[in-house]
Amino acid sequence: MNYNFCALAKIRRAAAILLVFALSLGIVFGTAGCSEPQKERFQKTYLDAFDTAISVVGYSDSEEAFTEMAETYVHNELMRYHRLYDIYTEYAGINNIKTINENAGIEPVAVDGDIIAMLEFARDMYYVTDGKVNIAMGSVLELWHDARNHGINYPDKAKLPDMAKLEAASAHCNIEDMIIDKEAGTVFLADSDMRLDVGAVAKGYATERIAQDLEAGGYTNIILNIGGNVRAIGTKADGMPWVVGIQNPDLMSSIAHIETIETDALSLATSGVYQRFYVVDGKNYHHIIDGDTLMPEDRYLSVSVLTEDSGLADALSTALFNMDYEEGKSFVEGLASSVSAERGLAAGLSENAPSRAGVTEAETDDEETEETGADSVIEVMWVMPDGEKRYTDGFEAYIVSETK
Amino acid sequence: MLKIVGNDKMPEKRLKATKADIVLAVFFIAAAAAVLVWSFGYFGGSADSVVITAHGETVGVYSLSEDREIVVDGGSNIVVIENGAAYMKSADCKNQHCVLHAPIRYGNEQIVCLPNKVLVEIEDNGESEIDTVAN
Ligand SMILES: [Zn+2]
């Protein structure tokens, strides 16, 4: 071979190699670009409903389609539920929970079917949690609410509510005094000193209703975060599970998330000492009031519940927050084996609805298990006062491993 | 380049073919370089940024890598970006929850001042590990 031929061959070879290189780059990156879900990711946050931050994250073909979905299905609906379930404000032309409270001992109030459905769910939750979630505690919670607002407005005059008043109010917290007449579409509080406070259930209940409406409308690849009530609708667009950080109860910590979990089609709710607290004599008082002691208790920094139904997750996180660890653990174990897998523990319970006062665990167990034999997820993480994390057996399967 | 291969001992025919080859080679090198630059752009991503909104209106979008102080809504809230993180330096809200919140630095993290309707959020650049925070 002469030099020239050799040089030419080299150049040709180089060209060939470059061609292959360029083509493979084109193929690798080109396809990576194309195989990316055609759907784009969007996010919208609202600060005007339920006195909390509301985020909608989802994948959609266009920003217009996403915004339309977020406005119609989430924001507008939340505003509607917010007005119906409000206990502090009246709105022209509607009877809401405040109206029911104002007519306690006076007369039944005609209300929207969505109020009745939520109140029935809340009453179910009372029996499911053995009274640990009690929307009839409004007169007790009102004293805390007033003391907290006063303390926040006048920090140097912050004080706890008067225990004698709390005890007097606690005599008017009987859920049986909430009389629902489904036929007439009315709610009546038979005890004139009783008040409803639906704070522990309304947000989670509304979240679940909205999620189910989205599912029925054929929407998927969405995750809702309604003031900490996280509800996944399907997976991400690429089929991967959603990654959810659980807030570190120590807000000042440089570690923002105490745990990170992966989930699809599940709900996560957290009750924690860092939510809506106020400070009296240098001590933080949070807003989750124990129905037995009438005080916010310090058993945990937070309790997180992972389950299908967002309303159940919300109610259970409150209930477990007010139970000692051992009691809570056995409560969850009993519940997990009895809850129907259908999104609709509530629906199921309403059908069988108590013969109330005397509902025993065993009775509900039978009825529930008959309904479906399928498994349902109820997993819990308790964060103890010293920061130690305790889990139900199945919770850890959802934790994103450190190695990832 | 031309000079190296443009050896005068080469037959005419060959030389022509070589020129075409060189043009091709240059074209491929350019194409490969372009693809490389393009792919770096594709993977490099842009620096994380902080989005601040008040009453639903965007106040501004700021780079996390540039230290600064942002006065929101005529001073109702003051946001500070420092060392790659953002935090609420001060707020005239009563509950002060936003001021107590730890600095945020990762995609989709938020600090909310509900009373003043101010939202400070790290923009999701598509590489965030966390989709949302259960608080
Ligand atoms: Zn604030």
Side-chain angles (χ1 to χ4, degrees):
Chain A
M1 266 188 230
N2 68 31
Y3 173 70
N4 289 328
F5 183 77
C6 197
L8 185 63
K10 272 185 184 162
I11 288 170
R12 278 193 168 142
R13 216 173 99 204
I17 289 169
L18 276 169
L19 174 64
V20 170
F21 181 56
L23 280 179
S24 14
L25 275 176
I27 288 164
V28 170
F29 297 124
T31 24
C34 296
S35 72
E36 268 223 339
Q38 308 95 322
K39 288 179 164 185
E40 238 186 295
R41 182 192 174 102
F42 299 100
Q43 170 157 9
K44 199 119 182 73
T45 300
Y46 304 99
L47 300 181
D48 54 0
F50 278 102
D51 200 16
T52 191
I54 287 144
S55 289
V56 188
V57 176
Y59 294 82
S60 183
D61 298 327
S62 69
E63 184 159 16
E64 292 70 43
F66 177 80
T67 306
E68 160 86 15
M69 176 278 294
E71 281 293 328
T72 318
Y73 280 82
V74 186
H75 189 220
N76 290 352
E77 280 297 274
L78 274 173
M79 293 304 284
R80 191 174 67 82
Y81 287 121
H82 170 89
R83 288 188 286 267
L84 290 176
Y85 302 160
D86 202 326
I87 63 173
Y88 303 115
T89 313
E90 15 187 297
Y91 302 91
I94 61 165
N95 289 335
N96 61 9
I97 305 286
K98 184 174 194 275
T99 325
I100 297 173
N101 281 340
E102 282 169 348
N103 286 284
I106 301 170
E107 61 179 355
V109 178
V111 291
D112 191 289
D114 284 335
I115 290 183
I116 292 187
M118 186 273 293
L119 293 178
E120 284 186 319
F121 172 79
R123 189 167 59 192
D124 290 340
M125 286 299 108
Y126 178 91
Y127 291 106
V128 166
T129 63
D130 211 13
K132 297 289 182 189
V133 172
N134 182 8
I135 58 163
M137 261 177 74
S139 48
V140 168
L141 297 181
E142 193 177 289
L143 293 168
W144 276 103
H145 179 262
D146 292 347
R148 179 166 52 246
N149 275 0
H150 182 266
I152 286 170
N153 285 321
Y154 308 99
D156 43 347
K157 289 181 194 156
K159 52 179 194 266
L160 298 179
D162 181 61
M163 187 42 86
K165 282 186 185 166
L166 286 172
E167 276 167 0
S170 73
H172 304 280
C173 300
N174 187 353
I175 192 87
E176 292 301 316
D177 286 330
M178 176 178 76
I179 315 292
I180 298 175
D181 186 336
K182 275 184 95 165
E183 297 274 297
T186 62
V187 180
F188 175 56
L189 305 184
D191 178 346
S192 61
D193 290 324
M194 169 189 181
R195 299 288 180 273
L196 299 179
D197 184 323
V198 295
V201 293
K203 215 165 44 158
Y205 176 81
T207 305
E208 183 60 26
R209 287 284 301 270
I210 287 166
Q212 291 190 12
D213 286 347
L214 281 166
E215 285 168 338
Y219 288 91
T220 186
N221 311 136
I222 296 167
I223 193 160
L224 305 175
N225 188 344
I226 315 294
N229 284 277
V230 174
R231 169 66 148 87
I233 297 150
T235 59
K236 296 197 213 186
D238 59 3
M240 297 297 284
W242 299 97
V243 181
V244 183
I246 299 178
Q247 173 73 47
N248 187 340
D250 178 3
L251 294 179
M252 276 321 281
S253 167
S254 61
I255 301 159
H257 313 126
I258 197 163
E259 202 68 89
T260 305
I261 66 160
E262 281 186 337
T263 176
D264 49 49
L266 284 181
S267 296
L268 180 76
T270 300
S271 289
V273 296
Y274 55 90
Q275 302 158 338
R276 295 176 198 225
F277 61 88
Y278 77 117
V279 187
V280 181
D281 296 331
K283 187 181 184 311
N284 285 8
Y285 290 86
H286 61 79
H287 78 301
I288 310 159
I289 308 303
D290 186 309
D292 297 326
T293 64
L294 308 178
M295 296 287 289
E297 294 299 328
D298 297 322
R299 296 180 183 91
Y300 315 102
L301 296 180
S302 70
V303 177
S304 297
V305 176
L306 191 60
T307 187
E308 283 90 351
D309 187 295
S310 196
L312 181 63
D314 200 10
L316 287 184
S317 73
T318 304
L320 287 164
F321 198 90
N322 285 331
M323 289 183 202
D324 288 334
Y325 173 69
E326 290 303 330
E327 183 191 2
K329 197 168 161 59
S330 58
F331 166 71
V332 172
E333 281 159 7
L335 200 62
S337 59
S338 71
V339 166
S340 113
E342 281 171 78
R343 277 282 157 68
L345 172 93
L349 280 174
S350 299
E351 298 294 323
N352 314 321
S355 72
R356 303 202 269 277
V359 174
T360 66
E361 294 274 336
E363 266 172 12
T364 20
D365 275 9
D366 286 350
E367 286 166 348
E368 291 304 315
T369 342
E370 272 169 36
E371 211 161 89
T372 69
D375 289 330
S376 181
V377 173
I378 300 183
E379 302 295 348
V380 182
M381 177 177 79
W382 293 265
V383 182
M384 309 306 285
D386 63 358
E388 180 208 348
K389 292 179 278 185
R390 297 184 185 171
Y391 311 96
T392 48
D393 294 339
F395 192 93
E396 285 170 90
Y398 294 92
I399 296 175
V400 177
S401 61
E402 307 265 329
T403 51
K404 270 196 107 175
Chain B
M1 248 174 151
L2 258 170
K3 214 159 196 188
I4 299 166
V5 280
N7 192 313
D8 50 3
K9 278 175 193 167
M10 254 182 155
E12 244 322 3
K13 250 191 174 178
R14 270 229 161 145
L15 197 62
K16 268 187 179 167
T18 306
K19 271 183 180 168
D21 280 342
I22 289 165
V23 168
L24 257 181
V26 168
F27 170 76
F28 282 130
I29 289 166
V35 166
L36 268 173
V37 168
W38 170 63
S39 64
F40 276 130
Y42 183 82
F43 278 102
S46 52
D48 287 333
S49 45
V50 185
V51 183
I52 302 177
T53 58
H55 308 283
E57 305 284 324
T58 304
V59 172
V61 183
Y62 311 91
S63 166
L64 254 191
S65 53
E66 213 174 295
D67 290 3
R68 64 187 298 168
E69 195 172 283
I70 300 123
V71 177
V72 182
D73 219 8
S76 76
N77 295 65
I78 294 175
V79 179
V80 167
I81 300 173
E82 206 173 81
N83 304 323
Y87 64 92
M88 194 72 78
K89 185 185 173 192
S90 67
D92 63 9
C93 64
K94 294 287 188 184
N95 66 31
Q96 293 290 298
H97 286 187
C98 57
V99 179
L100 288 167
H101 200 290
I104 54 173
R105 61 182 75 235
Y106 304 111
N108 295 324
E109 286 188 328
Q110 296 178 332
I111 296 176
V112 171
C113 180
L114 263 187
N116 294 349
K117 302 275 181 267
V118 172
L119 171 69
V120 183
E121 192 170 29
I122 308 293
E123 198 164 51
D124 175 56
N125 58 8
E127 298 164 13
S128 300
E129 301 214 333
I130 302 238
D131 292 304
T132 194
V133 178
N135 46 4

